[in-house]
Amino acid sequence: SAVISQKPSRDICQRGTSLTIQCQVDSQVTMMFWYRQQPGQSLTLIATANQGSEATYESGFVIDKFPISRPNLTFSTLTVSNMSPEDSSIYLCSVEEGGRRGETQYFGPGTRLLVL
Amino acid sequence: DAKTTQPTSMDCAEGRAANLPCNHSTISGNEYVYWYRQIHSQGPQYIIHGLKNNETNEMASLIITEDRKSSTLILPHATLRDTAVYYCIVRVGTNAGKSTFGDGTTLTVKP
């Protein structure tokens, strides 16, 4: 199974600033996925990042707020821009791995963000 | 993804089997049943998945009813470390990265 790491593991930021979260996978993957988990809530998909093309955003999420980079097949970044307290969440990176019995999804440990 | 229904919370005694149900009455023929869990504030962890046959691995067993409208995740000997939110997801075997997570079941294993 894919091993995913994220940096930073947690951060406390001031409103109006931006934070870039890094995601590293131990194998080459075509797509990487970014999720958000607000306090007490379930996971919500933010966007899908393909290497060599622009990310695809889900409804309610825009590139200006959550710019994503995907420079190669093992790495991606998510930036949370112009942060407000409502952006306080856990941000999770995820990949999918194919198999004979369907694909499986793996997640990184998450980045816990608190915006003051 | 087909809609799933899970109980909000369940308790289990340490050392006993934990049986977590999931209803998915609108499941399509090509959709799998996946189970993940999320231990407090960590990233979700894949547990097991199946199409129509029962499945077992080192973590759990998955029992899918013959009509595939419901399933049960079984943790045979629950430990305190199994306390987590368990998510049942029904979807096709592709586009795994775009899973729709519901609210899941909060399992509390008690000593």
Side-chain angles (χ1 to χ4, degrees):
Chain A
S1 62
V3 177
I4 305 169
S5 60
Q6 289 185 231
K7 289 181 181 179
S9 59
R10 61 179 67 236
D11 208 342
I12 301 173
C13 300
Q14 297 297 318
R15 70 171 67 209
T17 63
S18 297
L19 176 71
T20 295
I21 302 167
Q22 299 178 8
C23 177
Q24 180 77 50
V25 189
D26 70 341
S27 59
Q28 295 185 337
V29 293
T30 304
M31 290 188 285
M32 297 176 76
F33 304 87
W34 287 98
Y35 283 78
R36 179 176 75 180
Q37 187 172 28
Q38 295 178 298
Q41 304 294 315
S42 189
L43 285 74
T44 301
L45 180 64
I46 297 172
T48 303
N50 278 328
Q51 196 271 331
S53 64
E54 283 201 5
T56 304
Y57 290 83
E58 299 298 306
S59 176
F61 297 96
V62 295
I63 187 171
D64 290 346
K65 177 66 176 178
F66 298 101
I68 288 171
S69 78
R70 184 76 202 276
N72 58 52
L73 292 173
T74 64
F75 187 80
S76 178
T77 68
L78 170 77
T79 299
V80 186
S81 303
N82 188 25
M83 289 184 285
S84 67
E86 291 71 35
D87 294 319
S88 298
S89 297
I90 300 174
Y91 291 86
L92 295 149
C93 173
S94 171
V95 302
E96 57 189 19
E97 200 166 80
R100 181 175 54 83
R101 293 172 45 246
E103 294 174 343
T104 304
Q105 186 175 17
Y106 298 98
F107 286 86
T111 295
R112 288 148 195 78
L113 171 62
L114 176 63
V115 183
L116 303 177
Chain B
D1 300 354
K3 179 176 172 57
T4 61
T5 303
Q6 299 179 251
T8 301
S9 62
M10 294 182 64
D11 291 342
C12 178
E14 188 177 22
R16 305 297 293 270
N19 297 283
L20 292 92
C22 180
N23 287 324
H24 31 80
S25 59
T26 61
I27 190 170
S28 300
N30 63 342
E31 289 184 313
Y32 290 78
V33 180
Y34 286 80
W35 283 84
Y36 295 82
R37 74 179 182 184
Q38 187 174 26
I39 297 172
H40 180 62
S41 294
Q42 297 181 19
Q45 177 189 24
Y46 164 79
I47 301 173
I48 199 168
H49 75 283
L51 184 62
K52 54 183 178 182
N53 297 322
N54 298 337
E55 302 286 344
T56 295
N57 63 20
E58 64 279 5
M59 289 181 66
S61 295
L62 173 60
I63 307 298
I64 302 174
T65 58
E66 192 167 344
D67 63 7
R68 303 210 319 126
K69 293 182 184 298
S70 65
S71 60
T72 301
L73 178 74
I74 301 173
L75 307 178
H77 305 287
T79 71
L80 299 179
R81 288 176 293 183
D82 291 321
T83 293
V85 179
Y86 287 77
Y87 297 99
C88 169
I89 297 170
V90 171
R91 58 167 169 80
V92 296
T94 56
N95 295 320
K98 302 184 74 171
S99 296
T100 301
F101 284 78
D103 293 329
T105 296
T106 299
L107 175 68
T108 303
V109 181
K110 299 185 174 181

